[in-house]
Amino acid sequence: MLIVVILVFIGIFILNTDFSATKEELRAIGFRFIYLLGITFIAYFFGTWSWHICLGENRKKISILKLFAVRQVGETVGQYNPTSIVGGDLLKAEMLKPYGISSEVALSSVATSRITVVLSQILLLLIACLWLSKMEIGQTALKSIGIVFYIFIALLILLNLVFFYWLIFSKSMSKPILKENSNGLLRKLVYKIKDLSFNIRKSYRYNPRFFWYSYLLATVHWVIGSLEFYFILLFLGYSVVPMHGLLLDMGVIVFKSAGAFVPGQLGIEELGNKMMLSIVGISAGSVWVSASILRRARQLFWIAIGFILYPFLKKDSKQASTLQNGNIIC
């Protein structure tokens, strides 16, 4: 049933894609579109590496290339179903089972990886906002939203401090217990959140080096991914620096996160592109339309890759499962 829902929403995404406009933009940019695909591949690889580290000793059971395939399928599902990243992350954990990785370890690694990705994103967004405040165009924008901007910066700093205090200094390490009479959906959800929190702190206390290593790789993943925006603007004839790409990418992700319940973030991402480009002083309508089309074209490419990888992944997981069962029998 879930697969049908995902396919329906991917179908809606494809139907809402203007292929004639996409074709024209790809024709205009030519072979340079390969640069954008290469950038996103490298970014996804570092994102996979960040997750691979979170598996701890269990990472020996699955290669980073196979995990890349699992991540790509999971991210595609997460982007194109109503449950957003929750559904995608649960699928990732489920797809690790045939490799002999327990549900607890799989879920813990997925949750820890997601935390490092989000925290590194917040850090980079903070850096990008501070950079913007020092630029002339940023100072002009601050005249109208000054107090809101500083409140936003303060919240980002507070969020980081609260989480790292909880992770490093919190002494509560007791594993939560689900009571037998806990039939309510809300109670089970609270238990799941507490259990994941426990596993995240447990994995950090067991080996904090892995957490910070994953955090560093997640940061690199975002920095490389932001170069997509930078190169798009270069290809369109704008004089920009990599920090423009970082600010645009981090800002658009905030919009996409707010509209995460919309499969594929249809319309949400385009609005984010327009708003963020306006903030950096690029208000020409043709630019944000071109940027949106090129970014959607990249998404279509990786959707296709996800469909191609899935059958191979299923076959490989069956073989891994058979091997695991054979070892148990022996």
Side-chain angles (χ1 to χ4, degrees), residues 17-35:
T17 300
D18 188 340
F19 284 99
S20 60
T22 302
K23 184 178 178 180
E24 288 301 317
E25 290 298 333
L26 291 176
R27 182 179 297 171
I29 201 172
F31 73 92
R32 292 176 296 179
F33 184 67
I34 296 174
Y35 296 163

Side-chain angles (χ1 to χ4, degrees), residues 290-326:
S290 297
S292 298
I293 290 173
L294 290 170
R295 283 164 64 86
R296 287 299 186 188
R298 180 259 299 165
Q299 290 177 12
L300 287 171
F301 173 83
W302 286 108
I303 288 173
I305 293 297
F307 274 106
I308 293 170
L309 289 174
Y310 185 70
F312 291 100
L313 202 58
K314 288 289 288 183
K315 181 180 178 181
D316 185 69
S317 64
K318 286 181 181 178
Q319 291 175 347
S321 182
T322 301
L323 183 61
Q324 287 288 330
N325 292 333

Side-chain angles (χ1 to χ4, degrees), residues 64-78:
I64 195 167
L65 290 178
K66 289 179 181 177
L67 196 67
F68 179 92
V70 172
R71 182 183 182 276
Q72 189 56 42
V73 172
E75 290 294 314
T76 300
V77 170

Side-chain angles (χ1 to χ4, degrees), residues 123-241:
L123 173 65
L124 291 174
L125 178 59
L126 179 60
I127 292 171
C129 286
L130 292 175
W131 173 80
L132 177 66
S133 67
K134 301 299 180 182
M135 303 299 291
E136 184 178 348
I137 184 66
Q139 291 173 357
T140 302
L142 284 179
K143 290 179 181 179
S144 58
I145 60 166
I147 187 65
V148 176
F149 177 81
Y150 291 117
I151 291 174
F152 181 66
I153 293 294
L155 287 175
L156 288 180
I157 295 173
L158 181 62
L159 184 61
N160 265 296
L161 291 176
V162 168
F163 179 83
F164 283 122
Y165 178 84
W166 168 81
L167 183 70
I168 300 171
F169 300 108
S170 176
K171 296 181 180 179
S172 176
M173 280 292 292
S174 58
K175 185 173 177 61
I177 300 173
L178 182 64
K179 297 179 180 179
E180 294 182 2
N181 60 347
S182 299
N183 297 320
L185 181 62
L186 181 59
R187 289 181 180 178
K188 290 182 178 180
L189 179 61
V190 170
Y191 164 77
K192 280 291 184 183
I193 293 173
K194 287 182 178 180
D195 191 48
L196 284 174
S197 299
F198 169 80
N199 287 326
I200 290 170
R201 276 185 294 179
K202 181 182 176 182
S203 63
Y204 176 81
R205 302 289 172 84
Y206 177 72
N207 198 327
R209 183 170 59 90
F210 284 169
F211 180 89
W212 293 115
Y213 194 4
S214 174
Y215 182 87
L216 174 62
L217 292 170
T219 304
V220 175
H221 147 261
W222 286 122
V223 172
I224 293 175
S226 69
L227 292 176
E228 178 190 31
F229 246 128
Y230 167 67
F231 278 107
I232 287 175
L233 292 177
L234 279 184
F235 296 156
L236 294 175
Y238 283 85
S239 178
V240 290
V241 296

Side-chain angles (χ1 to χ4, degrees), residues 104-115:
E104 183 178 354
V105 171
L107 286 170
S108 176
S109 71
V110 170
T112 304
S113 174
R114 182 62 63 182
I115 287 294

